[in-house]
């Protein structure tokens, strides 16, 4: 397969896979609100799908739908004077009557309908003559704010046409990268940055899949070179889009990975290089035949690695950072990242305590899972690949011991209502430093 075929397959693999469920629940919520505010039960009238799903840039794993319910103009007098909380409360009660066993909560701006592995955020709003929407903000005693989602939907559609359908595809690939590497970026920020990148160049205006390796490389270079700023102007609406966490460093790493993948063009490890950027949705490398495997390896090992995408939906929304404390009898504890900066490797007979850094940005209702993966010839020879995903025991940490050489990985996942909303990985390189050293690893 060519690079063009691989990127086509990749984009097919990340297509939204729960559209039927989203449509069903969206229709039910719309019908409940139409019953409350208009005494009809239409499942399609008076509502608007916005956010990533509405812009057609969502991918497999999407865990939410943002929707606007368009209030009857005649109801404005009922809510205009300090009625922001009342409007959200009336919206909540209407949905709760339709879904009595489902968790429905008022938030500052929206009503959240929380299903088992999916949620809808409903914003009741009054449509204005210019096409914008006036919505309730219950903070600080209540006020009315303006949003312009239709302008964003329209500009996404038109820009996608101008850019040979590359804009939406780039937005989707950027989401796959975000989910793979735990980058806490909102959907509108991703779409805005992809839009800004393609608007800044005409290089890909008449090009398609065959050039997506270069396009992704150049996009991540564009992200890495962004000046540090707290917000951007959204495509179409030009409204403020907040930067939740800095992304330039991880974008620079993605750029470097793309360069390596392009340099590996035509080689047997090319696909794995791209999977390092985008995850397992990118086509897998061609495996050897059984005979070839037998000839290539003098030992047999079990490939026990598990992948979080096979167990949960992945939709990264929060920032998670893990660190590792390294201890050894007779020595002061040291942080792994500091140790690697000085020496680049770990020595044997050390205890490792992996834990969540204080900079992590996580909600309260999460479950933590850990994955410890041993890599290298020693792990295969000893049949100790590991890689199982296990639930945290409640302490928010994972303890390991260095014992044999290899380039090992420890990953942590934060799961909320069946969705991975944050993840981080730390590399544990354990090497032989001189001829006298024994085997060691994690």
């Amino acid at each position: 397969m060519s690079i063009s075929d691989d990127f086509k397959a990749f984009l097919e693999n990340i297509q939204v896979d729960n559209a039927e469920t989203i449509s069903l629940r969206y229709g039910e919520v719309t019908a409940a609100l139409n019953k409350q505010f208009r005494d009809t039960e239409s499942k399609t009238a008076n509502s608007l799908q916005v956010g990533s799903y509405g812009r057609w840039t969502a991918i497999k794993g999407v865990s939410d739908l943002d929707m606007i319910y368009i209030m009857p103009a005649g109801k404005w007098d009922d809510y205009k004077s300090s009625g922001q909380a009342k409007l959200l409360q009336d919206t909540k009660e209407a949905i709760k009557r339709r879904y009595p066993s489902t968790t429905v909560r008022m938030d500052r701006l929206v009503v959240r309908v929380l299903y088992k592995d999916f949620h809808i955020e409903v914003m009741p709003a009054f449509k204005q003559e210019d096409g914008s929407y006036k919505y309730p903000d219950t903070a600080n005693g209540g006020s009315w704010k303006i949003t312009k989602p239709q302008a964003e939907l329209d500009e996404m559609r038109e820009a996608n046409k101008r850019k040979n359908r590359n804009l939406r595809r780039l937005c989707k690939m950027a989401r796959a990268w975000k989910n793979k590497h735990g980058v806490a970026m909102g959907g509108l920020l991703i779409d805005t940055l992809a839009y800004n990148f393609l608007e800044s160049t005409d290089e890909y205006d008449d090009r398609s899949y065959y050039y997506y390796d270069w396009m992704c490389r150049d996009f991540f270079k564009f992200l890495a070179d962004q000046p540090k700023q707290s917000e951007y102007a959204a495509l179409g609406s030009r409204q403020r889009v907040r930067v939740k966490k800095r992304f330039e460093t991880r974008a620079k790493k993605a750029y470097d990975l793309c360069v390596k993948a392009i340099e590996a063009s035509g080689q047997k490890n090319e696909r794995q290089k791209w999977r390092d950027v985008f995850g397992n949705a990118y086509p897998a490398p061609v495996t050897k035949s059984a005979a070839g495997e037998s000839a290539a390896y003098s030992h047999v090992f079990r490939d026990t690695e598990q992948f979080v995408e096979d167990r949960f939906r992945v939709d990264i929304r929060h920032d998670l950072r893990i660190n590792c404390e390294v201890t050894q009898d007779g020595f002061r504890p040291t942080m792994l990242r500091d140790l690697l900066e000085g020496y680049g490797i770990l020595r044997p007979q050390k205890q490792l305590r992996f834990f969540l850094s204080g900079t992590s940005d996580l909600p309260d209702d999460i479950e933590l899972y850990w994955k410890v993966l041993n890599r290298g010839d020693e792990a295969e020879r000893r049949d100790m690949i590991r890689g199982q995903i296990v639930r945290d025991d409640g302490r928010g940490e994972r303890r390991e011991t260095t014992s044999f050489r290899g380039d090992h990985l420890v990953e942590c996942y934060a799961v909320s209502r069946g969705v991975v909303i944050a993840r981080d990985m730390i590399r544990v390189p354990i090497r032989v430093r001189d001829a006298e050293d024994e085997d060691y690893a994690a």
Side-chain angles (χ1 to χ4, degrees):
M1 294 176 69
S2 67
I3 193 69
S4 175
D5 293 328
D6 280 354
F7 272 97
K8 283 181 182 178
F10 169 42
L11 283 159
E12 290 175 0
N13 290 340
I14 61 175
Q15 286 182 346
V16 171
D17 61 345
N18 58 342
E20 185 175 344
T21 298
I22 294 174
S23 179
L24 175 64
R25 292 173 176 171
Y26 169 72
E28 289 293 320
V29 170
T30 298
L33 296 175
N34 277 328
K35 178 66 175 176
Q36 169 72 18
F37 296 111
R38 287 183 168 86
D39 200 23
T40 70
E41 294 197 45
S42 172
K43 294 185 177 182
T44 57
N46 310 308
S47 62
L48 179 67
Q49 295 179 356
V50 294
S52 300
Y53 195 79
R55 292 189 298 273
W56 295 12
T57 55
I59 64 171
K60 181 178 180 179
V62 60
S63 63
D64 77 308
L65 169 67
D66 297 327
M67 65 172 279
I68 288 180
Y69 179 74
I70 305 169
M71 292 291 297
K75 296 287 185 179
W76 172 243
D77 289 341
D78 296 341
Y79 299 102
K80 66 179 181 180
S81 298
S82 303
Q84 293 85 6
K86 185 177 186 301
L87 176 53
L88 291 180
Q89 182 65 36
D90 290 348
T91 300
K92 172 187 172 182
E93 291 177 357
I95 298 171
K96 193 66 178 175
R97 280 193 290 272
R98 177 66 67 125
Y99 290 110
S101 61
T102 298
T103 301
V104 183
R105 297 175 182 167
M106 284 177 53
D107 210 330
R108 172 180 168 179
L109 311 173
V110 298
V111 173
R112 303 180 70 214
V113 188
L114 304 177
Y115 304 98
K116 183 177 179 181
D117 61 351
F118 187 83
H119 69 269
I120 297 178
E121 293 192 353
V122 184
M123 176 183 284
F126 292 90
K127 190 172 184 178
Q128 307 300 292
E129 291 185 359
D130 63 356
S132 64
Y133 293 88
K134 185 176 289 188
Y135 66 91
D137 184 347
T138 59
N140 302 318
S143 61
W144 295 97
K145 302 289 180 63
I146 294 294
T147 185
K148 303 176 181 179
Q150 191 62 57
E152 296 160 7
L153 300 179
D154 293 344
E155 184 59 18
M156 174 60 73
R157 182 179 61 254
E158 293 305 315
N160 196 54
K161 291 179 182 177
R162 292 196 305 271
K163 297 298 177 177
N164 197 32
R165 301 177 67 187
N166 291 330
L167 176 54
R168 283 188 174 129
R169 293 170 185 163
L170 180 58
C171 292
K172 293 176 180 180
M173 292 188 288
R175 279 172 172 77
W177 162 71
K178 179 258 297 186
N179 287 343
K180 162 68 174 175
H181 294 276
V183 187
M185 296 177 69
L188 185 54
L189 178 59
I190 288 176
D191 293 353
T192 294
L193 290 168
Y195 171 87
N196 290 349
F197 164 67
L198 288 178
E199 287 294 305
S200 73
T201 179
D202 59 4
E203 184 72 19
Y204 302 101
D205 286 4
D206 58 355
R207 292 178 171 177
S208 192
Y209 296 98
Y210 186 72
Y211 290 91
Y212 279 8
D213 51 352
W214 289 6
M215 184 176 74
C216 290
R217 175 201 62 190
D218 294 348
F219 171 63
F220 288 122
K221 182 67 163 60
F222 176 83
L223 292 189
D225 291 343
Q226 287 296 293
K228 291 185 178 180
Q229 54 194 76
S230 60
E231 60 186 39
Y232 286 82
L235 75 164
S237 71
R238 311 306 293 169
Q239 292 191 302
R240 295 184 301 171
V241 183
R242 187 168 67 92
V243 178
K244 190 174 183 179
K245 293 287 183 180
R246 302 312 313 168
F247 53 80
E248 292 86 357
T249 299
R250 293 195 176 189
K252 174 60 168 60
K253 291 180 180 178
Y255 166 76
D256 292 339
L257 289 173
C258 288
V259 170
K260 292 178 181 178
I262 292 170
E263 290 174 347
S265 177
Q267 300 176 21
K268 63 181 181 180
N269 64 341
E270 178 184 7
R271 283 182 171 177
Q272 184 56 54
K273 297 290 186 183
W274 284 113
R275 284 163 74 94
D276 290 343
V277 180
F278 295 116
N280 292 345
Y282 195 88
V286 177
T287 58
K288 297 179 181 179
S289 65
E293 292 283 358
S294 299
Y297 294 94
S298 59
H299 54 274
V300 178
F301 65 93
R302 294 167 298 162
D303 187 355
T304 53
E305 182 180 5
Q306 297 175 341
F307 298 97
V308 72
E309 296 83 0
D310 297 332
R311 186 164 177 179
F312 304 104
R313 306 187 75 80
V314 180
D315 190 3
I316 301 301
R317 297 175 167 274
H318 295 270
D319 187 59
L320 187 157
R321 290 287 184 271
I322 56 175
N323 208 333
C324 176
E325 181 184 65
V326 182
T327 59
Q328 185 174 10
D329 292 344
F331 296 89
R332 288 186 300 177
T334 307
M335 291 298 106
L336 175 60
R337 297 185 193 277
D338 296 336
L339 191 63
L340 295 182
E341 285 183 6
Y343 297 96
I345 62 170
L346 276 179
R347 306 282 289 179
Q349 300 177 349
K350 295 185 184 298
Q351 289 75 48
L352 309 177
R353 182 177 71 89
F354 299 90
F355 61 94
L356 269 62
S357 165
T359 62
S360 297
D361 163 33
L362 298 172
D364 295 331
D365 60 338
I366 62 164
E367 298 175 328
L368 291 179
Y369 290 80
W370 295 91
K371 172 177 171 178
V372 179
L373 177 66
N374 292 332
R375 300 197 302 189
D377 290 342
E378 288 299 315
E380 295 177 4
R381 182 173 64 82
R382 300 185 183 200
D383 191 18
M384 291 182 63
I385 294 294
R386 300 177 66 185
Q388 296 90 348
I389 296 171
V390 297
R391 188 171 178 176
D392 183 80
D393 61 8
R395 294 181 298 173
E397 64 179 29
R398 180 80 182 180
R399 293 181 181 268
E400 297 287 334
T401 303
T402 59
S403 59
F404 62 85
R405 68 176 175 264
D407 193 13
H408 313 286
L409 302 174
V410 174
E411 192 159 12
C412 183
Y413 313 98
V415 179
S416 175
R417 306 185 74 86
V419 179
V420 178
I421 60 170
R423 68 192 296 180
D424 192 26
M425 181 269 290
I426 191 167
R427 176 172 162 262
V428 187
I430 303 167
R431 294 283 189 267
V432 173
R433 297 192 64 186
D434 50 52
E436 289 76 24
D437 282 333
E438 299 293 334
D439 295 340
Y440 24 103

